[in-house]
Amino acid sequence: MTALLIVLYLLLAAAVSAVIISENRNPLKAMSWILVVTFVPVLGMIIYIFFGQDQRRRRIVSRRIYKRIMHKPHYLSIPEVQLEAMSNIQLNPIMKLINNNADSPVMLSDRPDIFTTGQEMFDRFFRDIEEARHHIHIQFYVIADDRLGNQMADLLIRKAAEGVKVRLIYDHVGSWTTGRQYWRRLRDGGVEVYSFMPVFFPFLSGRVNYRNHRKVAVIDGRIGYLGGMNAADRYYYGNKLGMWRDSHFRMTGSVVAGLQSSFLLDWYVVSRRVINLSGYYPDQPLPYSDESMKIQLVRSGPVGQWRTIEQATIYCIERACEHIYIETPYFLPTEGLNNALITAALAGIEVHLIVPRRSDARLPQIAAFSYVEDLLEAGVHIYLYKEGFLHSKMMMIDGQVASIGSTNMDFRSLENNFEFNGIIYDEPTVQRLEAIFFEDLLQSEPLDLKRWRKRSRIKKFSESFIRLFAPLL
């Protein structure tokens, strides 16, 4: 009996290995998964089912539904003729890349409000919700059952009672600690609430590894929010790590149509319903002026042919001529991203990276430290943020282009999560973001290569060992 089970398992492992090979993955990753399923009996297969399946070829929205929802953003985007007139030899290839790999045209926004604290952002967000007359669409990775979360719930229930259509999406795993009674209270109050890819014990599946990390809000089709903040007390009041420092945009103009379409696509995924689109979009494109901001909205996830945000990030780094400023809470870069940063620094480009000194995720931070020595040797300037917890995800290049949104510079965000970023082409806005970066730099301490090399051998080995599991962290 035991021999039969072994033979059956080896046949199953061989079949899974054949599937992995046929998917044309990165050879290193493919070999890692083949070794896991072959030489870690049963447990290796379970880990593969949860974390290893390739989702790139899967479609979660039909082409017909996708075209219907994305029609308005394309209609309201900047015409190609006008875009050519704004020609920029450094930026145009980036725009073309994003348009081709993410089906994302260049859109216009009024200059955004930029929030760097939860108090600023949520005070304004709640005022906008108070003034809503037609609809409120909200999507967060985390919605907590705490003071801020309940303040938002009370407000949404009140607006639903006034006749405003309120729709809410939360990630089931990200909001796992929020109890059923919280969602029941919202639903009983007239709010339409759905979780993204719910996962229940003991009926786990591969979906547990693919989470919706987007943070998007649209109010009356006129006001849009995009950034890295979640609806939780730690952004407003702080926690044991101190205040959570994050970045968020409030935008108006044609770009809100892109935010709306992103929400409605995810709404279709969770509800399997397409709403009547009348009244949910701006009527006319925002006319271009010197006060306008050009922006492309980039959705990324484990489904689809391309790693859109990773490709855009690497390509922006590769086209840098002067400087690159990055801040991220979790730094576990893919091989392509790590090589791009090292190459830029070796080419004499100023590369500055801020990461948190203390983290809410200990293992990813330990693994992240294994990358530091090579980066420092190449000339990358690395800083540890000391005041609270840095949760901001921003990248600014040459004062001309910037990225802001939900995406961390780690495997999980770049390969597994559903993410959403804005790529900005507007010098005044980019310079405002760079000023924020330098304010954060004042609250950070630089790492010194000589001192870093003196870390104990045990620390170095533990960092290298945990790095082996970086794609799963």
Side-chain angles (χ1 to χ4, degrees):
M1 184 65 178
T2 302
L4 177 62
L5 290 175
I6 292 173
V7 171
L8 290 174
Y9 183 82
L10 290 175
L11 289 173
L12 177 61
V16 171
S17 298
V19 171
I20 293 171
I21 292 169
S22 67
E23 290 169 340
N24 293 321
R25 301 189 186 195
N26 178 300
L28 181 61
K29 287 187 178 180
M31 284 303 303
S32 297
W33 281 117
I34 290 171
L35 291 172
V36 166
V37 299
T38 304
F39 295 105
V40 186
V42 183
L43 178 60
M45 193 65 68
I46 292 171
I47 293 173
Y48 170 76
I49 291 170
F50 288 170
F51 302 108
Q53 297 182 70
D54 190 349
Q55 302 285 325
R56 287 178 297 171
R57 303 291 179 184
R58 182 185 172 198
R59 292 193 67 87
I60 57 176
V61 178
S62 70
R63 288 186 175 88
R64 180 179 63 84
I65 297 297
Y66 179 86
K67 287 180 179 179
R68 177 180 173 186
I69 294 176
M70 288 301 294
H71 170 72
K72 273 289 189 178
H74 284 278
Y75 167 72
L76 295 169
S77 65
I78 302 175
E80 287 190 17
V81 174
Q82 188 176 353
L83 201 57
E84 288 294 331
M86 307 173 187
S87 179
N88 183 306
I89 195 169
Q90 184 178 11
L91 302 184
N92 277 11
I94 299 172
M95 295 177 182
K96 289 178 181 177
L97 167 68
I98 294 171
N99 193 38
N100 289 333
N101 76 357
D103 188 30
S104 177
V106 181
M107 308 191 76
L108 289 177
S109 167
D110 297 309
R111 291 266 162 76
D113 295 318
I114 303 174
F115 305 111
T116 59
T117 69
Q119 184 172 355
E120 290 178 315
M121 197 285 278
F122 282 102
D123 285 352
R124 185 58 187 270
F125 183 46
F126 290 166
R127 287 204 304 271
D128 286 334
I129 291 175
E130 287 272 13
E131 296 171 4
R133 294 293 176 265
H134 184 262
H135 67 271
I136 299 165
H137 290 164
I138 296 174
Q139 178 178 28
F140 285 116
Y141 176 65
V142 176
I143 299 177
D145 185 3
D146 55 19
R147 282 182 290 177
L148 187 70
N150 279 286
Q151 185 180 350
M152 185 176 76
D154 292 341
L155 185 54
L156 295 179
I157 290 169
R158 179 152 50 84
K159 296 306 293 186
E162 293 174 7
V164 176
K165 197 68 175 176
V166 183
R167 298 181 176 93
L168 181 68
I169 303 172
Y170 67 95
D171 185 82
H172 192 262
V173 173
S175 302
W176 221 330
T177 59
T178 302
R180 293 180 182 177
Q181 66 276 9
Y182 181 89
W183 311 119
R184 188 180 301 115
R185 184 164 75 92
L186 282 166
R187 293 186 179 103
D188 290 345
V191 178
E192 293 186 55
V193 181
Y194 284 92
S195 63
F196 187 87
M197 286 192 182
V199 177
F200 299 103
F201 287 111
F203 305 107
L204 291 174
S205 68
R207 67 172 57 184
V208 71
N209 199 38
Y210 304 112
R211 308 318 314 162
N212 197 315
H213 198 239
R214 295 167 183 152
K215 292 93 174 172
V216 181
V218 178
I219 298 168
D220 287 347
R222 300 180 299 102
I223 300 167
Y225 284 81
L226 172 69
M229 296 189 195
N230 290 294
D233 275 356
R234 51 186 176 265
Y235 297 87
Y236 201 96
Y237 304 103
N239 63 6
K240 63 183 180 181
L241 293 174
M243 292 300 299
W244 282 44
R245 220 309 271 140
D246 215 327
S247 304
H248 223 88
F249 269 22
R250 177 188 184 272
M251 294 179 285
T252 57
S254 305
V255 69
V256 177
L259 299 171
Q260 186 78 285
S261 285
S262 176
F263 178 89
L264 293 177
L265 285 169
D266 283 346
W267 185 256
Y268 176 77
V269 171
V270 297
S271 70
R272 310 314 293 178
R273 288 186 292 167
V274 180
I275 65 173
N276 186 334
L277 301 181
S278 177
Y280 287 90
Y281 288 93
D283 294 325
Q284 297 296 328
L286 179 72
Y288 180 76
S289 74
D290 292 339
E291 298 301 314
S292 300
M293 178 183 77
K294 297 190 292 295
I295 181 172
Q296 283 176 291
L297 300 174
V298 191
R299 288 164 52 92
S300 186
V303 297
Q305 187 174 4
W306 312 113
R307 305 292 190 201
T308 54
I309 291 179
E310 181 186 11
Q311 288 178 334
T313 301
I314 291 173
Y315 194 59
C316 285
I317 290 170
E318 290 174 341
R319 296 191 66 80
C321 297
E322 298 175 5
H323 61 256
I324 301 166
Y325 303 143
I326 297 170
E327 53 187 34
T328 180
Y330 313 108
F331 185 74
L332 289 172
T334 61
E335 183 178 0
L337 177 56
N338 195 52
N339 286 339
L341 291 171
I342 288 173
T343 302
L346 290 172
I349 294 165
E350 288 285 324
V351 182
H352 296 263
L353 170 66
I354 307 178
V355 294
R357 183 176 185 176
R358 294 190 301 157
S359 176
D360 68 327
R362 183 61 179 153
L363 289 180
Q365 185 180 49
I366 293 172
F369 286 155
S370 69
Y371 293 87
V372 167
E373 187 167 333
D374 285 346
L375 290 165
L376 290 174
E377 286 179 343
V380 176
H381 303 277
I382 303 177
Y383 309 83
L384 300 182
Y385 185 82
K386 300 181 296 183
E387 300 299 319
F389 176 52
L390 180 73
H391 196 251
S392 175
K393 313 116 171 42
M394 298 197 305
M395 178 178 73
M396 291 72 64
I397 294 177
D398 292 349
Q400 292 190 318
V401 61
S403 174
I404 184 173
S406 65
T407 309
N408 303 308
M409 285 202 172
D410 64 3
F411 284 93
R412 180 157 297 282
S413 274
L414 295 173
E415 296 187 353
N416 296 331
N417 284 346
F418 294 87
E419 303 282 3
F420 199 32
N421 272 31
I423 309 298
I424 298 146
Y425 315 98
D426 179 62
E427 289 189 23
T429 302
V430 176
Q431 288 166 9
R432 287 168 63 194
L433 293 173
E434 290 186 348
I436 292 169
F437 179 88
F438 281 105
E439 289 176 8
D440 291 336
L441 207 61
L442 294 175
Q443 309 298 325
S444 307
E445 60 177 336
L447 291 181
D448 178 75
L449 179 58
K450 290 182 180 179
R451 291 180 59 191
W452 190 257
R453 284 174 172 161
K454 293 179 181 178
R455 287 165 14 267
S456 69
R457 290 183 180 180
I458 294 176
K459 272 192 174 182
K460 291 179 181 179
F461 179 79
S462 64
E463 292 164 3
S464 298
F465 179 76
I466 296 175
R467 176 173 170 169
L468 295 173
F469 305 94
L472 302 180
L473 297 177

